[in-house]
């Protein structure tokens, strides 16, 4: 069975929390109750000291995922100065699965760039929060989704600690989730690196086995004293992510949330409560529909079925 | 993106001309102590025109200190990242001069992936590919000395490249003309 069973996952996660709090189990032990974490999966190490903000990766993603025409050309660098709702920098959207943002950090003459896309969590909150089972964590490491099953409730959008899932409203009646799938259909499935990673002139993104990348990341830190902050963001955050980051400046200066902790978010009461009202609102209306959808998914779901339109 | 990375020595033609103009002795000097005068870099020739890398000019820029770019292998490693030479000093491999001799030109093909994933050695695992090595090295220096450091500063973009970037005549219709 290469699909993660959501109920088993939840059970494993919650049991793990209780036992973990008593100091009785290791992470591996709790994983044995249904979810292995796919330790042999692939990942990408994003070394932000290499990124020069050329946006080639954004263009590559647009092409590979056949996304709509961008608002501005990919060599238009005025996007770095855009300020969006609430004073925010650019975020991933249904039209752009990855974006690069520019940061001015005190004490650094040169700007620092940060590439953003789905981090493909080991224990994804989008997946655990989705009550129609639209998400899949594949053994290769990607977190994919089945838009035929997605009901557009936006729970995963709220649940994701990295604000990644976006929605396509091209069909008013059927809004569906859109996000980076680590090029699963076209590349990762065949052991090939994502389009964005391959396109980068600076090799900002190193593709490989996640376990190798952690080793390589620590090696880079060790061999270049003073160059990096001694931390790989994503090695442990929210239970670990397939996409991980190295940086020369504190991660919080680049807009990374450094308060997430190392436990999978499913254990995080605050986030979980935030989801509850949504569930309560939507649950009755969709209750009848779930079972049908979930069943349909099981029938259809032989492979990855993220829909590209 | 074109997977295949090649670096061709394009110096041959120029050298022939030099033989006529200056005699064989001078050419000999170029070939043995200074390397090719021009190197054509055409691995991303789908989106960009091949780059005529003026090797001779860069030798001038480097004030004849080859090790500034050919780190680890020629002369004294001057870059501070000379881990290679620590182990390979006495081996034939340390005689390798061309970038592609060590940096894999095609790490993304199935064969390339295999080579990379099978690297077990501590220091080999994280070695950048040829494209990565060029751009990490060239741009770092260009930034320091105010050389060109945007893509089109060194690479002339093809029409296919414009389409890839949704730029030039492929720019989004609903916005004004781009600034770049
Ligand atoms: S292609 Fe590489 S260097 Fe360019 S913006 Fe993307 S990550 Fe940064
Ligand atoms: S980053 Fe967000 S969308 Fe991506 S796998 Fe993690 S929780 Fe899901
Ligand atoms: S991995 Fe693929 S889908 Fe994700 S940002 Fe990169 S190119 Fe886009």
């Amino acid at each position: 069975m290469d699909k993660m069973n959501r109920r088993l996952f939840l059970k494993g996660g919650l049991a793990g929390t209780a036992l973990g709090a008593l100091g009785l189990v290791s992470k591996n032990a709790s994983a044995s109750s249904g979810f292995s974490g796919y330790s042999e999966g692939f990942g990408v190490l994003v070394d932000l000291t290499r990124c020069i903000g050329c946006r080639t990766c954004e263009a590559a993603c647009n092409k590979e995922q056949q996304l709509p025409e961008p608002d501005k050309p990919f060599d238009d660098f005025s996007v770095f100065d855009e300020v969006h709702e609430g004073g925010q920098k650019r975020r991933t959207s249904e039209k752009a699965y990855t974006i690069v943002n520019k940061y001015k950090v005190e004490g650094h003459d040169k700007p620092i760039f940060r590439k953003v896309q789905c981090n493909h969590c080991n224990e994804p909150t989008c997946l655990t929060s989705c009550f129609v089972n639209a998400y899949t964590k594949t053994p290769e490491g990607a977190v994919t989704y089945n838009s035929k099953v997605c009901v557009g409730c936006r729970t995963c959008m709220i649940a994701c600690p990295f604000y990644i899932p976006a929605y396509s409203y091209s069909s008013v009646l059927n809004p569906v989730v859109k996000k980076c799938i680590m090029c699963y259909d076209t590349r990762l499935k065949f052991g090939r690196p994502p389009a964005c990673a391959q396109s980068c002139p600076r090799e900002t993104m190193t593709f490989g086995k996640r376990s190798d990348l952690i080793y390589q990341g620590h090696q880079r830190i060790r061999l270049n004293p003073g160059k990096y902050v001694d931390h790989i963001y994503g090695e442990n955050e929210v239970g670990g992510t397939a996409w991980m980051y190295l940086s020369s400046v504190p991660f919080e200066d680049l807009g990374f949330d450094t308060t997430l902790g190392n436990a999978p978010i499913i254990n995080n009461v605050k986030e979980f409560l935030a989801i509850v009202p949504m569930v309560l609102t939507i649950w009755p209306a969709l209750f009848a529909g779930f079972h049908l959808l979930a069943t349909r998914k099981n029938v259809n779901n032989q492979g990855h079925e993220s829909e590209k339109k | 993106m074109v997977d295949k990375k090649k670096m061709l020595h394009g110096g041959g033609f120029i050298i022939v001309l030099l033989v006529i103009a200056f005699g064989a002795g001078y050419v000999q000097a170029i070939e043995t102590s200074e390397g090719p005068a021009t190197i054509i870099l055409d691995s991303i020739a789908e989106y960009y025109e091949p780059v005529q890398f003026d090797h001779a000019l860069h030798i001038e820029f480097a004030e004849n200190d080859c090790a500034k770019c050919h780190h680890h292998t020629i002369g004294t490693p001057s870059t501070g990242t000379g881990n290679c030479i620590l182990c390979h000093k006495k081996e034939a491999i340390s005689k390798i001069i061309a970038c592609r001799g060590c940096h894999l030109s095609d790490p993304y093909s199935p064969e390339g992936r295999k080579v990379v994933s099978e690297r077990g050695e501590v220091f080999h695992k994280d070695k950048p590919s040829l494209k990565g090595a060029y751009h990490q090295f060239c741009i770092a220096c260009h930034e320091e000395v105010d050389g060109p450091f945007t893509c089109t500063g060194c690479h002339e973009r093809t029409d296919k490249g414009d389409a890839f970037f949704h730029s030039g005549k492929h720019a989004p219709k609903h916005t004004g003309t781009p600034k770049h």
Side-chain angles (χ1 to χ4, degrees), chain A residues 51-57 100 115 200-202 204-205:
Chain A
C51 179
I52 48 166
C54 68
R55 303 188 64 211
T56 305
C57 51
V100 177
K115 181 183 182 288
C200 175
R202 294 268 285 182
T204 298
M205 291 155 272

Side-chain angles (χ1 to χ4, degrees), chain B residues 32-44:
Chain B
T32 53
S33 74
E34 296 188 345
T38 309
I39 298 170
I40 295 177
L41 313 174
D42 66 351
S43 57
I44 42 175

Side-chain angles (χ1 to χ4, degrees), chain A:
Chain A
M1 187 187 79
D2 65 350
K3 307 286 170 200
M4 192 194 302
N5 181 306
R6 179 174 162 258
R7 262 168 303 137
L8 273 182
F9 178 87
L10 277 170
K11 215 168 73 190
L14 294 173
T17 316
L19 293 171
L22 297 170
L24 293 177
V25 286
S26 71
K27 234 172 142 292
N28 287 341
S30 75
S32 69
S33 62
F35 177 48
S36 67
Y38 300 133
S39 60
E40 276 302 286
F42 289 109
V44 176
L45 181 65
V46 188
D47 187 335
L48 297 178
T49 66
R50 295 180 179 179
C51 179
I52 48 166
C54 68
R55 303 188 64 211
T56 305
C57 51
E58 291 187 40
C61 179
N62 177 280
K63 184 164 193 269
E64 180 79 13
Q65 297 299 328
Q66 298 167 27
L67 296 174
E69 180 171 76
D71 293 336
K72 292 177 185 168
F74 286 110
D75 57 359
D76 183 341
F77 301 113
S78 68
V79 294
F80 293 138
D81 304 321
E82 284 176 12
V83 180
H84 293 268
E85 217 179 308
Q88 301 223 32
K89 290 186 181 292
R90 293 194 303 151
R91 292 217 333 225
T92 52
S93 73
E94 75 282 4
K95 287 171 75 177
Y97 296 169
T98 185
I99 45 106
V100 177
N101 279 330
K102 176 173 154 181
Y103 291 84
K104 277 252 163 258
V105 177
E106 220 177 299
H108 283 254
D109 309 336
K110 283 195 276 177
I112 296 175
F113 297 93
R114 172 190 172 192
K115 181 183 182 288
V116 182
Q117 73 297 306
C118 171
N119 285 331
H120 299 274
C121 306
N122 289 347
E123 304 184 41
T125 337
C126 54
L127 183 152
T128 51
S129 72
C130 176
F131 46 85
V132 294
N133 239 343
Y135 283 92
T136 302
K137 173 80 176 174
T138 76
E140 297 90 346
V143 176
T144 61
Y145 53 92
N146 182 344
S147 38
K148 289 192 191 110
V149 172
C150 172
V151 292
C153 73
R154 304 210 279 173
T155 305
C156 56
M157 191 168 154
I158 295 162
C160 171
F162 305 111
Y163 305 98
I164 296 300
Y167 284 80
S168 163
Y169 295 100
S170 49
S171 155
V172 181
L173 290 176
N174 184 28
V176 290
V177 61
K178 296 267 177 188
K179 75 161 190 74
C180 158
I181 54 166
M182 207 166 164
C183 293
Y184 183 77
D185 299 316
T186 49
R187 291 164 159 267
L188 191 74
K189 202 159 72 176
F190 310 107
R192 294 180 57 222
C196 54
Q198 181 165 345
S199 75
C200 175
R202 294 268 285 182
E203 212 166 292
T204 298
M205 291 155 272
T206 308
F207 171 76
K209 284 260 186 307
R210 183 176 184 269
S211 47
D212 285 347
L213 295 176
I214 291 170
Y215 170 82
Q216 281 170 249
H218 284 297
Q219 179 177 291
R220 264 183 229 175
I221 293 170
R222 195 162 30 100
L223 292 179
N224 299 280
K227 182 173 179 185
Y228 297 101
V229 172
D230 188 8
H231 184 71
I232 302 176
Y233 189 94
E235 180 181 357
N236 297 313
E237 274 79 6
V238 298
T241 56
W243 285 61
M244 298 169 286
Y245 290 84
L246 286 177
S247 169
S248 55
V249 300
F251 284 98
E252 51 270 26
D253 291 351
L254 303 176
F256 284 87
D257 189 341
T258 50
T259 66
L260 292 172
N262 294 343
I265 294 275
I266 189 71
N267 301 338
N268 185 319
V269 174
K270 184 174 134 273
E271 294 285 334
F272 190 71
L273 283 181
I275 299 163
V276 171
M278 176 69 102
V279 173
L280 290 180
T281 326
I282 293 166
W283 196 276
L286 296 174
F287 191 72
F290 288 169
H291 185 68
L292 190 66
L293 286 161
T295 321
R296 198 177 85 194
K297 184 224 168 200
N298 283 340
V299 174
N300 291 342
N301 209 353
Q302 296 309 318
H304 172 69
E305 293 178 87
S306 96
E307 210 173 32
K308 269 185 265 161
K309 286 193 178 147

Side-chain angles (χ1 to χ4, degrees), chain B residues 5-9 36 39 70 96-105 130 134:
Chain B
K5 287 205 125 266
K6 285 177 291 174
M7 188 169 84
L8 296 176
H9 284 261
I39 298 170
H70 296 272
I96 289 176
I97 295 170
C99 310
R100 70 183 185 288
C102 290
H103 294 280
L104 203 59
S105 60
L130 189 57
Y134 280 153

Side-chain angles (χ1 to χ4, degrees), chain A residues 50 59-60 62-63 69-71 73-75 77-78 110 193 198-203 207 215-216 219-220, chain B residues 1 3 47 108 122 125-126 128-129 131 135-136 139 143 157 164-167 172 174-175 178-180:
Chain A
R50 295 180 179 179
N62 177 280
K63 184 164 193 269
E69 180 171 76
D71 293 336
F74 286 110
D75 57 359
F77 301 113
S78 68
K110 283 195 276 177
Q198 181 165 345
S199 75
C200 175
R202 294 268 285 182
E203 212 166 292
F207 171 76
Y215 170 82
Q216 281 170 249
Q219 179 177 291
R220 264 183 229 175
Chain B
M1 196 118 253
D3 279 352
Y47 296 144
Y108 302 116
V122 187
K125 209 146 204 127
D126 205 36
S129 71
K131 179 174 73 172
H135 289 100
Q136 283 168 35
I139 296 174
E143 278 184 327
R157 210 158 58 201
F164 177 76
F165 278 93
H166 290 262
S167 189
H174 51 271
T175 50
K179 282 170 242 87
H180 295 269

